[in-house]
Amino acid sequence: MLTLEDFIAKYEAYTDEELYIIYQDAANYSEDAGKALNIIIEKKGGLESLIKRLEEKTIIKNEKNRIANEAVRFGMEGVDASFLQNTTHSSILSKQEVNEIIEAYAAKATELVEDKKVNSETVVKSLIGCGLASIFGGAFASLQFIYFGATSFLMVLGVALICYGTVKLVTQKSYNNTAVLLASFIAFILSYLLAYFAFLIFGYLG
């Protein structure tokens, strides 16, 4: 059983957030745990100081989220990161922090726009990926019918993942891209059609 000293040593490593969560649920802790909690909170400036620090962290977090969301939104509309850095201001964060957030999230926005873009290259690669995915997925689905005589949710999920993974690998784009989703779905259907024909030819071998 933990002693008062054990609890003190344990709580010393806790963050302000963790200490406040325990404080809110202190009634469900042992007497020694409650005493240790009070000792650590007082050691860190008291409950009022702890709450104030948490409020300040929340304000900073919200401000970072605001700037990040703006960077993504404007970035997806084609607004340059340098323009956002010159026009975005914050009374909470330093200019350097603002610029770093904008640079990071504007880059993510650019990647997302590129990922969603459907051009001739994407279509061609999606078709190639669909063909390969149908073969790989069909081979896996065929094994389900020929050697197990049936399929299961996990096996169906496996075929779906094979199809999507193959198309994604070939196109280098994710499910955010319409062509990738469509190609993956078509490959999934073709996989089970191939598996059905394989079953008709070879029958159940399990």
Side-chain angles (χ1 to χ4, degrees), residues 6-152:
D6 292 329
F7 280 115
I8 291 174
K10 181 180 179 180
Y11 292 156
E12 278 184 329
Y14 279 25
T15 63
D16 288 341
E17 290 82 1
E18 292 170 329
L19 289 174
Y20 190 65
I21 290 173
I22 295 174
Y23 172 79
Q24 290 179 309
D25 198 32
N28 295 321
Y29 286 80
S30 67
E31 183 179 349
D32 282 342
K35 288 180 179 178
L37 178 63
N38 290 331
I39 289 172
I40 295 302
I41 289 177
E42 287 302 317
K43 188 176 179 181
K44 292 192 173 186
L47 181 60
E48 187 176 336
S49 178
L50 184 144
I51 292 174
K52 185 178 180 181
R53 289 196 302 273
L54 290 177
E55 289 175 345
E56 290 174 348
K57 286 182 181 180
T58 299
I59 291 172
I60 292 173
K61 181 180 178 181
N62 290 339
E63 181 70 352
K64 287 182 177 180
N65 287 338
R66 178 187 71 82
I67 295 171
N69 290 334
E70 287 186 0
V72 170
R73 180 163 60 88
F74 286 113
M76 291 189 69
E77 293 175 0
V79 179
D80 187 72
S82 59
F83 176 80
L84 290 174
Q85 289 173 336
N86 291 328
T87 57
T88 303
H89 304 284
S90 173
S91 59
I92 298 170
L93 304 176
S94 68
K95 188 61 179 176
Q96 181 179 350
E97 289 176 309
V98 171
N99 288 344
E100 289 175 353
I101 293 171
I102 291 175
E103 186 174 345
Y105 282 88
K108 289 184 179 181
T110 301
E111 291 174 4
L112 186 57
V113 169
E114 185 61 31
D115 190 40
K116 287 185 174 183
K117 188 182 296 181
V118 178
N119 50 27
S120 58
E121 182 183 0
T122 304
V123 172
V124 171
K125 287 184 176 180
S126 293
L127 290 173
I128 295 172
C130 181
L132 292 174
S134 299
I135 295 171
F136 299 147
F140 182 69
S142 296
L143 294 176
Q144 298 173 30
F145 291 120
I146 294 173
Y147 289 99
F148 296 98
T151 187
S152 66

Side-chain angles (χ1 to χ4, degrees), residues 171-187:
T171 61
Q172 293 298 301
K173 296 194 176 186
S174 73
Y175 58 83
N176 291 311
N177 191 283
T178 306
V180 170
L181 276 181
L182 183 60
S184 299
F185 177 74
I186 293 173

